[in-house]
Structure formats: structure tokens, C-alpha cells
Amino acid sequence: MRKSLAVILAAAFAVSLAGCTAIPTATSCTPLSPAGDASNAVSVTGALGEKPTATIPTPLLSTKAETTTLVRGHGAPLTTGTIANVQASLYYGKTGQLLTATNFDAKAPLQVTVGVTSTSNVGKYLQCQRDGSRSVTVMTAKQFFGAAPDPSTGLTSTDTLILVTDIQKTFPGRATGALQLGQSGFPAVVTAPDGTPGVTISGSAPTQLRYEALRKGDGATVKKGDEILVHVTAIDWSTKSSFTSTWTSKVPQALRAESVTDSASGQLDPGSAKALIGQTVGSQVVVVVPPKFGYPSGKAPSGYPTNATVVYVYDILGIE
């Protein structure tokens, strides 16, 4: 029986995804590493999100970072600070050898911050990519690691590496909800352009749990037991200094929306759990937790101040 035209086109479309060619980058976004001859020379086969096969003309050498988009994806181009769940494979340019890769388990992705330099710059060159995209970046080992590679890797700074990255899911890098009218008596929160909160505390510490949404998101509602992705800053009321903040590294934290007193898998103090459950994704929530609503003895994370009233600013970025 003859195949319908729709089936033939669908098959042709599947083949075009399996054997990717370069797609022009959106003109509204300027990538950190534009496409070039080296990145355009790499072809990749395999379904998005599954272990790919890269064909690399060897030796492939480059002294600058280049990124070619192989599958465009959907939505707006990603900007610095966006959080991305990715699967990635790293190859050696001289031989084409696969050096390392993620496990390609959709439930256990590598989470990176777009455009941010870290110990391995998987996210650094993803600017202007999109949710559901596949890209290939050719760069030196020094550009990948952000510094000269550790001697134990056997790599030199000028060795060429090829990174193939599939973006599975993205989250905004900060709370994006609508601004709300603040209540009196709360610490004042001013947000920097990159989303980092600055907190001003005055007066006596309250004795009761207090919380409010400074921004109200329109995303899903956080339920007890959800795995939520947050940026969080925690400040000791008495010293008025922050003792922990994910904004320092620009890497958010995944937390179970459950108190340590409710479940062995709970991660939040009782006050924060009460404040966050029922909030919506995209919200920024300030929580003031007096000691009696804080972590019980022996349950607090390392570095948590003893018998302190703690001010938290949570940006709820998503639900995993």
C-alpha cells in the first residue's frame, strides 16, 4: 500500500532532525560564540534528548569558541541567567573521541545557568539557544573550564573540545510575577537588574511567622512534596548579614516543599514550608522565621545560625 504524502513528509522531517544542519541564529539575540567554520563542520545524528552520535572531521582545531544551532527549539532565545536542564556530550577535537557525557536520563538532567562561567562552562555558550534546541560548541579546553584544565584531565589549555548540548527544559532565572503592594513592618527588598535581592532590616524581630509575596507569579501552585527550584537568600535578623545565598553562584537550589518535621525527605524549616506551599511559580516571597518556627535542634543545615530570626527571600523558578 502506498504511503500517504503526510507520512512521507513526516519521515523526511524526522530524517532532517537526525542529520542536523546549521540554522541561522535569531537576529534579536547576539550569541557569545557565533557559528563558524569549525562548529559548522560537526554533524550530529540521534533523537533530541537521547545519546547522540557526532561526526567530527579530525583533527578539528580552533582557537576561538564557535556555536552552531542544529535544532532550533521553540520559544524566546535564552538570555544570561536562564536556568536550563540539559544533556551534553564532550568530544576531543584532535581524535573525535567521546570524553564524557551526561546519562541522558530525562529525570536526572544536568542543570546549568545560561551565560554564566563556572567550573565547567556547559551553560556559558547557550545564549540565544531555545527550549528544545540542540547545539554544538567548538572551543579550547581553557574556554570550557574557564581556566587552565587540571593536569589530571590530560588536556592542555589549547586543546580543542566539542560540546553537543540538548536543552530539555528551561526556567526563568528570577521571579517574573507581577509586583504586589507590600505590607508594613516587613524588611525592604530591592532587586538588582540580575535578580539579586538586597534586603534592609530595621526594628525589632517579630515573634510570629510572617510572609508575603512581593511578586505574584501566574505559574503552577506549589503543593506539599513538590520538588521546587528556587533562588534563595537567607539573612540573620540580628546581624543583618546574609549567611547563604544561591545568587552568589547564580546556581539555584532544588528543594522539596516539605518541612523537616513532616517527612524524612523534607528540607525546609516549618516556617518556610508553610509560607511556600500554596505560592505560585514566578513568585518572589519574603519570609520572616522566628526561632520557634525554624529548624528543630539537630535538623538545621550547616552554617545556620543558632536561635536566630531568619529572613528569607525566595524566587520560585519552577516545579521539577
Side-chain angles (χ1 to χ4, degrees), residues 223-228 253-270 273 277 295 299 301:
K223 301 185 296 295
K224 183 177 180 179
D226 280 345
E227 192 84 8
I228 58 174
Q253 185 175 5
L255 294 171
R256 184 173 294 277
E258 199 167 17
S259 165
V260 294
T261 60
D262 289 337
S263 166
S265 60
Q267 294 176 276
L268 297 168
D269 62 72
I277 294 170
Y295 286 102
K299 296 285 189 178

Side-chain angles (χ1 to χ4, degrees), residues 25 29-36 39 62-71 77-82 84 86 88-90 110 112-130 133-147 157 159-167:
T25 304
C29 185
T30 303
L32 182 63
S33 54
S39 60
S62 181
T63 59
K64 62 180 181 178
E66 300 176 356
T67 299
T68 295
T69 302
L70 302 177
V71 177
L78 304 184
T79 56
T80 296
T82 302
V86 306
S89 301
L90 187 68
L110 174 66
V112 299
T113 304
V114 174
V116 171
T117 300
S118 61
T119 53
S120 62
N121 291 326
V122 175
K124 182 176 180 180
Y125 299 105
L126 293 181
Q127 289 155 303
C128 304
Q129 298 302 316
R130 302 167 191 263
S133 73
R134 169 176 284 171
S135 62
V136 56
T137 299
V138 177
M139 63 194 132
T140 66
K142 184 175 182 179
Q143 289 167 330
F144 177 75
F145 290 106
S157 292
D159 280 336
T160 299
L161 301 179
I162 297 101
L163 181 70
V164 177
T165 308
D166 290 358
I167 300 178

Side-chain angles (χ1 to χ4, degrees), residues 4-96:
S4 70
L5 180 60
V7 171
I8 294 172
L9 288 175
F13 183 63
V15 170
S16 72
L17 287 181
C20 305
T21 55
I23 297 173
T25 304
T27 56
S28 60
C29 185
T30 303
L32 182 63
S33 54
D37 291 341
S39 60
N40 287 339
V42 180
S43 62
V44 180
T45 58
L48 193 76
E50 297 181 2
K51 188 175 181 179
T53 299
T55 301
I56 301 167
T58 56
L60 184 61
L61 307 175
S62 181
T63 59
K64 62 180 181 178
E66 300 176 356
T67 299
T68 295
T69 302
L70 302 177
V71 177
R72 185 186 294 276
H74 52 83
L78 304 184
T79 56
T80 296
T82 302
I83 311 304
N85 287 352
V86 306
Q87 301 292 348
S89 301
L90 187 68
Y91 300 85
Y92 186 38
K94 188 175 293 185
T95 64

Side-chain angles (χ1 to χ4, degrees), residues 253-310:
Q253 185 175 5
L255 294 171
R256 184 173 294 277
E258 199 167 17
S259 165
V260 294
T261 60
D262 289 337
S263 166
S265 60
Q267 294 176 276
L268 297 168
D269 62 72
S272 290
K274 181 176 178 61
L276 293 179
I277 294 170
Q279 301 288 348
T280 51
V281 171
S283 296
Q284 183 182 64
V285 184
V286 59
V287 188
V288 182
V289 181
K292 65 181 179 181
F293 296 96
Y295 286 102
S297 178
K299 296 285 189 178
S302 175
Y304 193 91
T306 304
N307 199 35
T309 296
V310 176

Side-chain angles (χ1 to χ4, degrees), residues 71-243:
V71 177
R72 185 186 294 276
H74 52 83
L78 304 184
T79 56
T80 296
T82 302
I83 311 304
N85 287 352
V86 306
Q87 301 292 348
S89 301
L90 187 68
Y91 300 85
Y92 186 38
K94 188 175 293 185
T95 64
Q97 173 191 358
L98 175 65
L99 297 177
T100 189
T102 57
N103 56 18
F104 287 89
D105 178 356
K107 295 182 179 179
L110 174 66
Q111 195 165 80
V112 299
T113 304
V114 174
V116 171
T117 300
S118 61
T119 53
S120 62
N121 291 326
V122 175
K124 182 176 180 180
Y125 299 105
L126 293 181
Q127 289 155 303
C128 304
Q129 298 302 316
R130 302 167 191 263
D131 201 337
S133 73
R134 169 176 284 171
S135 62
V136 56
T137 299
V138 177
M139 63 194 132
T140 66
K142 184 175 182 179
Q143 289 167 330
F144 177 75
F145 290 106
D150 189 289
S152 65
T153 64
L155 297 169
T156 68
S157 292
T158 57
D159 280 336
T160 299
L161 301 179
I162 297 101
L163 181 70
V164 177
T165 308
D166 290 358
I167 300 178
Q168 294 183 324
K169 187 176 182 180
T170 61
F171 305 92
R174 55 180 294 179
T176 56
L179 285 168
Q180 304 296 295
L181 186 63
Q183 302 177 38
S184 62
F186 270 82
V189 179
V190 177
T191 304
D194 69 349
T196 303
V199 182
T200 301
I201 297 172
S202 60
S204 301
T207 58
Q208 297 300 314
L209 174 68
R210 300 194 68 191
Y211 55 91
E212 67 169 347
L214 303 178
R215 287 184 176 272
K216 180 67 173 176
D218 58 3
T221 300
V222 176
K223 301 185 296 295
K224 183 177 180 179
D226 280 345
E227 192 84 8
I228 58 174
L229 187 67
V230 300
H231 266 308
V232 56
T233 294
I235 299 166
D236 185 332
W237 186 292
S238 62
T239 65
K240 298 178 175 52
S241 60
S242 171
F243 58 88

